[in-house]
């Protein structure tokens, strides 16, 4: 069954059709959520909330890109989660080793306050990038996640973010600029082909 | 060092978002300005790093259950009919109870104390409808035109009518002497016959109320059966 038929069935209340759509988009949705929120558990909750909310409001879908529509829902769910976190800030407890000592996670190692020696221990590029993403303002992070990580085009990102195309261009440029500066601090983690050349741009 | 406008142009150029003229102009500048070319290269590298970021797979399926979205089983088309009939019958039943308990008091409650005080018999509670009829019987000759009016519209006209007839009968009784005794006996007979009938004060017959109760019970039962059958089929 094609996507349009599935959407139409879901709009009539057919949950099975909607679940087929979920199976198709759940990886993208979860990936977006985890890159925006930076936490697997929160991303899982946001993704689930997004799908529930999407099913309840699927009658409002009036055509166009369903992926953009579902991404907008998950983006909103992530914003809600971030707002909730701001209201009730929590400090995550680091997992402990079998010896009862705190386990050093790469994310913590990538903290700006860490020493060069600790930095060298952060050998996961992914965590370094995630750290840099989390350092971005939420609006910038969302745009860069959608455009560069999810590979969506500007117009889709504009629909999802509900801002004009010009704003998307501007946010994306600023986000890339900040990421470039941030990744410069993890130069040693980057493969040789990804080494950044220039000095400070601005 | 480049200003932000140039960075924005480079970022848009990277994604192919510039028109042909803008792109050509920027390309010409890139050839002549190595610093600008270096910035473009950095932005491209940053974008490529992000694109190379491994895609995270969903740790589990996010498929929804009916409970999660609060879906209820689809009910048969006839279900609303039963729901409407139950609601309508319930409203009617309540109205019949209200009518039977309130209306008799409104119609006859005002007339009884006045009649009781005029008679001086003190039987206020039992002197409702029968008393009115009794006055009509007692004053056949003088108040022949007024008594029927009292029975036709009891609430509005009954209170003054007995006073008039009572005055008439008391004057005649002074002259004739025998009539009041008859007039007092007649209501007693009337009272005994009407008060003995069960539900004589009810406006809406009890049979109707029972009928409504049966409709409510049957409709409710049908709704319950339909819901149960629908949820079984759904599961």
């Amino acid at each position: 069954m094609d996507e349009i038929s599935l959407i139409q069935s879901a709009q009539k209340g057919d949950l099975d059709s909607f679940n087929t759509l979920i199976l198709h988009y759940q990886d993208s949705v979860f990936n977006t959520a985890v890159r925006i929120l930076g936490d697997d558990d929160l991303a899982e909750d946001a993704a689930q909330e997004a799908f529930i909310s999407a099913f309840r409001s699927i009658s409002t879908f009036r055509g166009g890109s369903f992926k953009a529509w579902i991404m907008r829902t998950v983006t909103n769910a992530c914003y809600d989660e971030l707002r909730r976190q701001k209201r009730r800030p929590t400090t995550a407890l680091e997992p402990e080793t079998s010896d009862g000592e705190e386990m050093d996670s790469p994310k913590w190692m990538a903290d700006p306050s860490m020493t060069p020696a600790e930095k060298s221990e952060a050998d996961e590029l992914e965590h370094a990038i995630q750290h840099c993403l989390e350092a971005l303002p939420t609006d910038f992070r969302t745009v860069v996640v959608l455009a560069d990580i999810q590979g969506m085009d500007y117009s889709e990102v504009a629909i999802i973010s509900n801002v004009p195309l010009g704003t998307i261009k501007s946010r994306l440029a600023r986000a890339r600029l900040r990421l470039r500066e941030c990744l410069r601090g993890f130069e040693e983690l980057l493969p040789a082909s990804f080494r950044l050349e220039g000095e400070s741009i601005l | 060092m480049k200003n932000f406008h140039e960075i924005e142009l480079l970022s848009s150029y990277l994604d192919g978002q510039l028109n042909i003229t803008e792109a050509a102009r920027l390309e010409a500048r890139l050839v002549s300005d190595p610093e600008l070319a270096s910035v473009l290269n950095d932005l491209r590298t940053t974008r490529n790093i992000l694109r190379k970021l491994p895609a995270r797979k969903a740790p589990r399926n996010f498929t929804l259950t009916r409970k999660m979205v609060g879906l209820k089983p689809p009910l048969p088309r006839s279900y609303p009919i039963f729901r409407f009939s139950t609601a309508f019958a319930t409203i009617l039943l309540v109205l019949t109870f209200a009518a039977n308990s309130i209306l008799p008091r409104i119609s006859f409650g005002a007339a009884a104390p006045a009649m009781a005080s005029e008679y001086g018999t003190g039987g206020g509670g039992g002197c409702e409808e029968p008393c009115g009829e009794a006055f009509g019987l007692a004053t056949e000759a003088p108040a022949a035109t007024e008594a029927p009016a009292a029975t036709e519209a009891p609430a509005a006209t009954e209170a003054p009518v007995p006073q008039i007839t009572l005055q008439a009968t008391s004057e005649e009784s002074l002259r004739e002497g025998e009539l009041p005794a008859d007039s007092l006996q007649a209501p007693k007979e009337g009272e005994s016959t009407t008060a003995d009938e069960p539900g004589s004060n009810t406006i809406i017959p009890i049979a109707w109320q029972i009928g409504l109760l049966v409709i409510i019970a049957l409709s409710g039962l049908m709704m319950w059966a339909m819901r149960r059958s629908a949820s079984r089929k759904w599961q």
Side-chain angles (χ1 to χ4, degrees):
Chain A
M1 200 183 269
D2 65 329
E3 189 174 280
I4 295 167
S5 308
L6 288 170
I7 292 166
Q8 284 171 347
S9 299
Q11 284 177 326
K12 287 172 189 163
D14 184 3
L15 191 60
D16 293 335
S17 297
F18 191 76
N19 279 336
T20 310
L21 291 167
I22 287 178
L23 291 173
H24 189 255
Y25 286 109
Q26 62 182 5
D27 285 339
S28 301
V29 164
F30 176 74
N31 196 35
T32 304
V34 84
R35 294 304 173 203
I36 293 174
L37 294 170
D39 182 284
D40 284 23
D41 293 335
L42 291 179
E44 226 176 293
D45 290 347
Q48 190 69 79
E49 279 300 313
F51 283 126
I52 292 171
S53 169
F55 180 74
R56 286 180 179 159
S57 59
I58 196 165
S59 56
T60 62
F61 177 70
R62 299 269 178 261
S65 167
F66 185 73
K67 188 182 181 184
W69 187 79
I70 203 89
M71 286 299 181
R72 185 176 184 166
T73 315
V74 74
T75 306
N76 288 337
C78 290
Y79 283 166
D80 288 345
E81 185 54 46
L82 290 169
R83 270 194 291 270
R84 228 182 340 259
Q85 279 184 336
K86 266 189 186 175
R87 281 199 301 270
R88 288 175 291 174
T90 53
T91 306
L93 292 171
E94 276 303 287
E96 290 185 344
T97 60
S98 54
D99 302 332
E101 291 178 358
E102 276 190 3
M103 197 183 286
D104 291 328
S105 75
K107 200 187 286 184
W108 278 36
M109 298 300 289
D111 193 271
S113 61
M114 62 191 176
T115 64
E118 287 169 329
K119 270 184 191 176
S120 65
E121 291 175 32
D123 56 353
E124 290 184 35
L125 179 61
E126 185 183 346
H127 289 97
I129 297 169
Q130 187 64 43
H131 167 78
C132 290
L133 281 172
E134 284 171 34
L136 292 173
T138 313
D139 291 339
F140 289 15
R141 197 188 316 159
T142 304
V143 170
V144 85
V145 165
L146 294 171
D148 285 345
I149 296 176
Q150 291 297 329
M152 302 182 90
D153 62 41
Y154 281 30
S155 56
E156 280 183 317
V157 180
I159 291 167
I160 294 165
S161 306
N162 201 24
V163 290
L165 205 65
T167 310
I168 296 299
K169 285 180 185 176
S170 169
R171 282 182 185 175
L172 192 57
R174 285 179 190 276
R176 283 172 176 168
L177 197 63
R178 290 196 189 191
L179 281 171
R180 176 190 177 277
E181 296 303 319
C182 179
L183 288 171
R184 200 176 288 283
F186 298 94
E187 195 92 33
E188 70 279 6
L189 298 178
L190 302 175
S193 58
F194 287 157
R195 294 283 160 88
L196 298 160
E197 293 170 1
E199 293 302 314
S200 181
I201 295 173
L202 286 172
Chain B
M1 264 201 193
K2 300 291 166 195
N3 64 39
F4 182 70
H5 177 68
E6 285 175 325
I7 304 292
E8 201 178 316
L9 272 178
L10 289 171
S11 177
S12 297
Y13 174 73
L14 205 58
D15 294 325
Q17 293 292 319
L18 295 183
N19 61 40
I20 297 166
T21 319
E22 284 174 328
R25 199 181 300 152
L26 187 66
E27 278 164 6
R29 278 193 63 200
L30 284 168
V31 172
S32 62
D33 189 346
E35 196 188 347
L36 198 68
S38 168
V39 172
L40 176 67
N41 197 40
D42 273 2
L43 287 176
R44 184 181 285 121
T45 306
T46 306
R47 191 186 67 166
N48 289 346
I49 290 169
L50 291 170
R51 286 188 174 176
K52 292 282 178 187
L53 199 60
R56 297 287 300 278
K57 293 233 171 201
R60 62 179 174 85
N61 280 341
F62 291 109
T63 48
L64 305 176
T65 62
R66 292 180 178 101
K67 196 180 175 186
M68 284 164 86
V69 292
L71 274 181
K72 289 174 184 170
L75 295 165
R77 284 184 180 181
S78 55
Y79 186 83
I81 297 168
F82 288 102
R83 191 169 52 189
F84 176 77
S85 66
T86 309
F88 191 65
T90 307
I91 292 166
L92 279 181
L93 187 68
V94 170
L95 286 176
T96 58
F97 275 120
N100 281 347
S101 58
I102 294 167
L103 284 181
R105 289 182 193 176
I106 294 169
S107 348
F108 306 114
M115 289 187 292
S117 61
E118 288 292 330
Y119 263 126
T121 53
C127 189
E128 288 183 354
E129 196 175 351
C131 289
E133 287 169 10
F135 287 133
L137 286 169
T139 59
E140 261 180 11
T145 53
E146 289 163 79
T151 53
E152 274 175 15
T157 56
E158 216 168 59
V161 171
Q163 287 177 5
I164 296 162
T165 53
L166 192 62
Q167 282 170 0
T169 49
S170 59
E171 282 169 13
E172 283 179 20
S173 69
L174 285 173
R175 277 182 271 142
E176 294 173 17
E178 292 295 319
L179 196 57
D182 294 340
S183 66
L184 285 172
Q185 277 177 356
K188 279 177 188 168
E189 284 167 12
E191 263 182 349
S192 64
T193 52
T194 52
D196 289 345
E197 287 173 16
S200 60
N201 282 346
T202 57
I203 291 169
I204 294 154
I206 289 170
W208 285 32
Q209 292 177 332
I210 293 167
L212 288 171
L213 270 172
V214 169
I215 291 169
I216 292 165
L218 285 176
S219 300
L221 202 66
M222 283 299 293
M223 284 163 64
W224 175 79
M226 281 176 174
R227 274 202 303 266
R228 195 170 172 190
S229 155
S231 63
R232 271 186 183 176
K233 274 183 194 171
W234 219 36
Q235 281 164 6

